[in-house]
Amino acid sequence: MTMTENKQHPVKPLDPALLARLTGGLGDRATVEKLCQDFGTLYSEFLPDVFHSETNLTIEVGYLGHKTGLMRDLIEDLGDNYVLADTALRNWSPNFVMVCGNGFVITLMETLLGAQAEFIAEPIKRPLSNIELDLAVMLFERFANVLRSGVNAAGGFEPIFERPHNWEKRPKPDKDHVDEYGAFIHMSVKLGKITSDFGLIIPQKALLKTQVTPPKSKGQVSKARKEWAEQLALQVRKSHVTLEARVNLESLTLNTVSKLAVGDVIPFLEKGDITVDVSANGKELYACEFGRAGDQYTVRIKSTHSSDNEILRHLIK
């Protein structure tokens, strides 16, 4: 036997899809489709009840279908008009993702702040603000609790999810990250005349072991009625907003402005009490008087430009 004959041929790596199928991480089309439909039924029947019992709002939920592929690809295919929350449910799945169209969060915020349904326009596509992300936390709690009520996760543990983030802010996976196959369960949600969507991206390894069993009665989904609107208003009022104060200065010629140097002084336009316009996010909120208290310069509010609800509705954007 020659040395050439004695050399071992390199072992060809197993196809990832075949390996996943052999280890329970990839199911057949019919099985995955049936399980996704079961989740769609669970949410279409019980999420509206949760919303109505806690907010007195009526929503309609429908199942739009499913899509399979690698988890990373399913997330990337969502696009930038989504908010996501990485979630774990003990004894079921340590790494599934809840997603929601930004339009639903924006519409829900406007509704809870008192806007009438007939006057709410189709939301523009944009990332959610920090205050809207605060609302998404409460929203995803409801999504997660409906899921927990219908899957066979022993122990009755609460779902744990990270703070929701806009799609474009999602961190890139580590270079050595090994992706797995998943399924995107896609659902529609209608509030008033605005229709948006939400869904779940679940690893097939967890999905294939799942038995979806709707609760015996809708009342079990929400054990206690919560004053959601009050929670929202409290959350909004706790959020920090950067205010800007603008004082009109005396007009100068371009020639004078071009020659200003360090130490030069520009007078206020007004004499006596100085009027200061206070704004946030480009919206004027208050007319104030300029003053001083001890070592700090201050402004004293004289009048407001908008009602409380109008101010809140503007600041959340």
Side-chain angles (χ1 to χ4, degrees):
M1 180 179 295
T2 65
M3 291 182 64
T4 303
E5 293 173 328
N6 196 36
K7 287 183 179 179
Q8 294 184 351
H9 295 287
V11 179
K12 187 177 180 180
L14 198 60
D15 178 71
L18 177 59
L19 178 61
R21 192 175 295 277
L22 292 174
T23 56
L26 181 62
D28 62 88
R29 182 188 61 81
T31 300
V32 173
E33 183 177 23
K34 173 63 168 59
L35 287 166
C36 291
Q37 288 175 343
D38 289 344
F39 273 99
T41 300
L42 173 69
Y43 274 88
S44 62
E45 291 184 0
F46 292 95
L47 187 59
D49 180 65
V50 170
F51 264 76
H52 191 267
S53 66
E54 297 185 1
T55 69
N56 204 31
L57 296 176
T58 299
I59 64 170
E60 299 176 18
V61 175
Y63 175 61
L64 297 177
H66 78 287
K67 183 178 180 181
T68 59
L70 292 172
M71 293 284 287
R72 180 169 54 190
D73 293 339
L74 293 173
I75 292 171
E76 289 181 351
D77 289 345
L78 290 172
D80 59 2
N81 199 38
Y82 277 85
V83 59
L84 303 86
D86 293 296
T87 316
L89 177 58
R90 188 171 175 181
N91 296 330
W92 185 67
S93 174
N95 60 326
F96 66 101
V97 184
M98 297 184 292
V99 306
C100 185
N102 291 352
F104 182 51
V105 182
I106 295 170
T107 302
L108 180 60
M109 176 70 85
E110 292 191 24
T111 302
L112 291 175
L113 288 176
Q116 296 182 2
E118 60 267 26
F119 297 118
I120 297 178
E122 187 73 33
I124 62 173
K125 293 184 178 182
R126 61 169 176 81
L128 297 184
S129 67
N130 285 333
I131 299 178
E132 288 164 338
L133 290 173
D134 289 339
L135 174 61
V137 172
M138 303 167 68
L139 188 60
F140 281 135
E141 284 178 356
R142 276 70 192 171
F143 291 166
N145 286 336
V146 171
L147 180 143
R148 183 192 64 164
S149 71
V151 302
N152 54 319
F157 296 100
E158 294 285 340
I160 299 174
F161 60 92
E162 297 180 2
R163 177 173 171 78
H165 57 274
N166 287 303
W167 178 87
E168 61 269 27
K169 294 293 185 180
R170 186 169 184 83
K172 298 294 183 183
D174 297 332
K175 291 183 178 180
D176 58 351
H177 172 74
V178 179
D179 209 354
E180 55 186 328
Y181 287 91
F184 172 40
I185 304 168
H186 194 193
M187 291 165 278
S188 65
V189 56
K190 182 178 181 182
L191 174 59
K193 62 180 182 180
I194 305 300
T195 300
S196 188
D197 59 345
F198 72 101
L200 306 166
I201 299 179
I202 303 173
Q204 290 195 32
K205 189 171 185 178
L207 183 67
L208 294 170
K209 298 178 181 179
T210 302
Q211 193 172 23
V212 180
T213 306
K216 293 181 181 180
S217 66
K218 293 183 179 181
Q220 292 183 359
V221 176
S222 178
K223 295 181 180 180
R225 298 176 68 94
K226 296 182 180 179
E227 298 297 333
W228 222 33
E230 291 184 5
Q231 290 185 27
L232 171 64
L234 179 62
Q235 185 64 58
V236 168
R237 287 172 172 80
K238 283 183 176 180
S239 300
H240 291 274
V241 177
T242 300
L243 298 178
E244 298 176 349
R246 188 183 73 253
V247 180
N248 290 324
L249 302 178
E250 187 176 89
S251 62
L252 302 174
T253 65
L254 287 175
N255 185 51
T256 302
V257 171
S258 66
K259 296 179 179 179
L260 289 174
V262 176
D264 289 343
V265 175
I266 304 175
F268 291 133
L269 176 63
E270 300 178 47
K271 308 300 181 183
D273 292 336
I274 306 302
T275 300
V276 180
D277 291 319
V278 174
S279 62
N281 295 352
K283 173 72 172 180
E284 289 190 356
L285 305 178
Y286 308 107
C288 303
E289 292 178 344
F290 181 76
R292 186 167 181 170
D295 295 333
Q296 290 185 316
Y297 291 100
T298 63
V299 293
R300 184 193 304 274
I301 296 174
K302 294 173 57 180
S303 62
T304 63
H305 291 296
S306 306
S307 67
D308 289 355
N309 283 340
E310 288 173 336
I311 291 174
L312 288 174
R313 201 169 294 123
H314 169 77
L315 292 179
I316 64 174
K317 297 179 180 179

